[in-house]
Amino acid sequence: MNISTLRGTVSLESIQIIFIYLSSLLLPLVFFHRKKIDSLSHELHISVYGYFFLVIHIILAYLVLIFIYVKIGNVFFNQSLRLNVPVWAGYVVRSILIIPLVITVLSNSKYPLFKNKKIIYLLCYCPCILIGARGTAITFLLSQLLLFILLQEGFKSSIQLHTDDFKRKLRKRNVIGLGLFIFTIVVSGFYLRRTGGSIYASPQELIDLYFSVDSIWLYLIMPFYFAFRETVGITNTIIVNSITNVELIPLFVADIFTVLPGDYKAAGQSLGDLVGRVGSGGLTPGIIGGLYIDFGMSGVFFVSIISFFLGYSFYKSGGSKRYCVIYSIFIFQYIHLIHRGFLKPEYLTFIIIATFYLLFLSKE
């Protein structure tokens, strides 16, 4: 909404293009309905090899977290330091967010680490939050919430152990509780990163700079408004000024090349050189701006292709706990991509790691 001066005023032309892109994003999903198979009540167990890799994975992530805090500093209380975290280290720490989703579909196991799954949830989410990757943590918390709902719906259709009223109340309580927790992370993270450092402007400075009024309600919406307004504003700048990518590699996939040998510039950095930025950080144009700068209106084709695979995983999730995990990861990684605008290796590695662990599950 044009209620501030942040990133100028969104033009009618930009709104029309955004509408076309969003229509192409949603259209493939219309043709998929969840598969109706009452088989989500079967028990899954993980093999000893899968358990071994899982434990080693958690230990490795914590060793890397210690390395970050020793080498970089306290990233949690000084959020500006997160820009100094090595790319590989961030990937390793965030990769264990897959584990809570995998263990959610497991039945009670003989392995001691699974006696209380809440402890594993805490162990896996804390490192990500401690390195300032709150966006990724929120993405997986939402995936966790969706997975609970998918499994509960499947269980409800196959075995009636409780009354429908009890299950509705339980689900409502879980949704509200986790929703409030996610909201707290978003709001607190937004304000924490603006304390203890000199890079980011204070909340009051932001209000004085971009808004014509000073209201307490602005403090509640700022963490969300600034994130969304940034992407829409950058997209508007790309469209109105007819900015196009001058690099040989499309910006949409440029981040994939950064993990390869050689010196490759991140997509957000290249976009910052074209659009202009404050500081050394990159820019996030959203998927519309990220595709439009490379392909123009042809970018709607790529959105439709990704949405097709998302719809297919949704269809399969009705009859398989494994697909429930894949779908819950896929949909919120896609939402994150919609907000970020550029593919990053994690979108692929998260699915690969999840598939790796799911291969060790059986119905024994």
Side-chain angles (χ1 to χ4, degrees):
M1 296 174 60
N2 289 316
I3 61 174
S4 76
T5 59
L6 178 64
R7 289 288 176 186
T9 302
V10 181
S11 67
L12 178 60
E13 179 188 5
S14 297
I15 293 175
Q16 291 171 336
I17 292 175
I18 289 171
F19 177 78
I20 295 173
Y21 263 85
L22 293 181
S23 299
S24 301
L25 184 155
L26 294 173
L27 186 60
L29 303 181
V30 175
F31 301 102
F32 290 97
H33 302 280
R34 199 169 183 223
K35 200 174 183 180
K36 299 295 184 181
I37 297 180
D38 298 337
S39 61
L40 293 184
S41 60
H42 62 257
E43 294 187 351
L44 286 178
H45 300 273
I46 191 169
S47 69
V48 64
Y49 301 106
Y51 180 72
F52 170 78
F53 285 120
L54 188 147
V55 173
I56 295 300
H57 193 175
I58 294 176
I59 293 174
L60 178 62
Y62 269 87
L63 290 176
V64 174
L65 177 65
I66 294 172
F67 165 79
I68 292 172
Y69 268 65
V70 171
K71 184 175 179 62
I72 307 299
N74 193 325
V75 182
F76 182 73
F77 287 107
N78 190 352
Q79 294 279 298
S80 61
L81 293 177
R82 67 191 180 90
L83 299 175
N84 299 327
V85 175
V87 175
W88 66 267
Y91 283 163
V92 172
V93 171
R94 292 190 294 268
S95 66
I96 62 171
L97 291 174
I98 293 295
I99 294 175
L101 297 173
V102 173
I103 68 170
T104 297
V105 300
L106 294 178
S107 303
N108 291 333
S109 175
K110 61 183 179 181
Y111 301 114
L113 195 60
F114 296 153
K115 296 301 181 182
N116 190 340
K117 292 182 179 178
K118 292 180 181 178
I119 295 178
I120 306 181
Y121 295 155
L122 188 63
L123 281 174
C124 293
Y125 279 108
C126 280
C128 186
I129 296 173
L130 288 174
I131 65 170
R134 59 191 179 92
T136 308
I138 292 168
T139 298
F140 273 89
L141 283 170
L142 290 169
S143 296
Q144 188 79 61
L145 177 61
L146 176 61
L147 183 59
F148 283 144
I149 294 174
L150 292 175
L151 295 176
Q152 192 173 54
E153 286 296 326
F155 191 78
K156 176 181 176 181
S157 64
S158 55
I159 301 178
Q160 293 286 349
L161 290 180
H162 307 286
T163 64
D164 290 345
D165 183 60
F166 173 78
K167 283 187 287 187
R168 271 196 306 271
K169 290 180 179 179
L170 179 63
R171 187 171 63 206
K172 183 178 181 181
R173 185 180 64 185
N174 290 340
V175 169
I176 292 176
L178 188 52
L180 289 174
F181 180 64
I182 294 171
F183 177 82
T184 301
I185 292 179
V186 173
V187 175
S188 61
F190 177 82
Y191 292 110
L192 275 175
R193 69 188 300 196
R194 280 162 174 78
T195 60
S198 58
I199 293 179
Y200 300 105
S202 68
Q204 186 60 52
E205 289 173 334
L206 293 176
I207 291 177
D208 295 339
L209 183 60
Y210 295 114
F211 294 91
S212 59
V213 295
D214 188 351
S215 171
I216 191 174
W217 298 108
L218 293 177
Y219 289 92
L220 293 177
I221 70 168
M222 270 202 302
F224 307 96
Y225 178 81
F226 273 76
F228 299 140
R229 180 68 177 188
E230 179 75 5
T231 59
V232 174
I234 294 173
T235 296
N236 179 73
T237 301
I238 292 170
I239 295 172
V240 171
N241 297 323
S242 300
I243 299 175
T244 57
N245 176 28
V246 296
E247 303 288 340
L248 293 177
I249 300 174
L251 295 185
F252 187 68
V253 296
D255 286 351
I256 304 296
F257 289 83
T258 59
V259 299
L260 301 177
D263 187 17
Y264 295 95
K265 187 182 293 186
Q269 297 287 342
S270 298
L271 178 63
D273 295 337
L274 294 171
V275 177
R277 63 178 182 269
V278 177
S280 58
L283 298 179
T284 54
I287 195 170
I288 300 170
L291 285 171
Y292 192 86
I293 196 171
D294 283 323
F295 309 108
M297 292 305 299
S298 301
V300 299
F301 173 76
F302 296 98
V303 175
S304 298
I305 292 297
I306 301 175
S307 293
F308 175 84
F309 287 106
L310 176 64
Y312 180 76
S313 65
F314 172 67
Y315 165 75
K316 295 288 288 185
S317 69
S320 169
K321 286 184 177 181
R322 291 182 176 89
Y323 269 101
C324 285
V325 174
I326 296 298
Y327 172 66
S328 63
I329 296 171
F330 197 163
I331 186 171
F332 286 107
Q333 291 304 305
Y334 190 22
I335 291 173
H336 194 273
L337 170 62
I338 291 171
H339 174 71
R340 187 176 189 266
F342 300 124
L343 279 174
K344 65 176 181 177
E346 278 184 321
Y347 296 145
L348 303 177
T349 56
F350 282 144
I351 298 295
I352 293 173
I353 294 172
T355 303
F356 172 78
Y357 280 120
L358 292 174
L359 291 175
F360 290 100
L361 305 188
S362 65
K363 297 180 182 180
E364 297 176 1

